[in-house]
Amino acid sequence: MNLIEAFDLQPRDLVALVGGGGKSSLLFALGRQWPGRAVLTTTTRLFQIQTALAAATLRLADNDRLDEVLAAAGSCLVVGETAGDKVLGVPADLPARWLDRPAIDLVVVEADGSRQRPVKAPAAHEPVLPTGTTRLIVVAGLDALEAPIKEAAHRPELVCRLLDLRPEDRLTPAALAALLVHPEGGLKGRPPAARVAVCLNKVEGAARRARADETAARLLAHPAVERVVLTTRQAGEPPVVRLRSGSDPPA
């Protein structure tokens, strides 16, 4: 099973990635594994060095060349201008318009920033979800459970407020799940029709797997969460899918 199968992505999906660290890695992995023509982008910012992970990169000013680049490379990262060590994103209404073009059958958008922390709570201006999002993937790293909130989280004061915890506290699987499905946390701004998956990454070793399974069980108790996908940083390690009891297992 690859990531496309694990997240059950379908042609014409507009995928938004939100939450903690690991979104950029997932963005590029989905682009590599999609069998058709995929556009990757962000509505926030990416580190300029990360553009090297894309099969091809196109500046927004050259958007009229997108079909040509996709025909040659299969997937393409589209970004705006350079700002220091980062590249700017695209307007939130543009990804849906790309899907109107017959040359494009998947768009994946990194729609949130976390300063590479494994977990976060969004500020008032976050996330920047693209118009027409059909699949929302909330991302978190299991290492968020292994340090105090003040060290593990981006915007730790907001995490503490949402969960009624202190900066010195550590997240438990129950608290992490609560944050990821909180309407002002991982599900903030979710379009009602968007299918929701959670990606728990850095699930390496027996101890993390056990905590990931406990977190997944709690996440799947929420009616909006369709599936939880466990991933590792180990090359070639397939993702593991957790579905709600009674759901059909993945193929």
Side-chain angles (χ1 to χ4, degrees), residues 49-97:
I49 194 171
Q50 292 176 307
T51 63
L53 300 173
T57 300
L58 195 65
R59 295 290 175 162
L60 186 56
D62 298 320
N63 186 49
D64 58 346
R65 295 186 52 238
L66 184 54
D67 290 0
E68 169 195 341
V69 174
L70 285 172
S75 67
C76 180
L77 173 70
V78 181
V79 293
E81 297 180 357
T82 300
D85 62 349
K86 295 185 179 181
V87 288
L88 302 181
V90 305
D93 65 340
L94 180 56
R97 288 190 275 127

Side-chain angles (χ1 to χ4, degrees), residues 101-186:
R101 299 162 69 162
I104 299 167
D105 46 33
L106 181 77
V107 178
V108 187
V109 181
E110 184 170 331
D112 207 357
S114 61
R115 296 191 179 179
Q116 300 182 308
R117 300 293 177 90
V119 73
K120 72 166 291 183
H125 62 281
E126 300 171 313
V128 186
L129 295 176
T131 305
T133 296
T134 64
R135 166 67 85 174
L136 183 68
I137 300 179
V138 187
V139 182
L142 258 290
D143 51 334
L145 306 179
E146 297 166 4
I149 293 170
K150 63 183 179 182
E151 299 174 13
H154 179 42
R155 309 196 191 286
E157 70 286 355
L158 298 181
V159 172
C160 290
R161 179 172 61 80
L162 293 181
L163 300 177
D164 194 23
L165 294 173
R166 301 169 302 172
E168 298 79 18
D169 292 335
R170 294 193 181 201
L171 294 173
T172 62
L176 177 58
L179 177 63
L180 298 180
V181 297
H182 197 288
E184 294 299 318

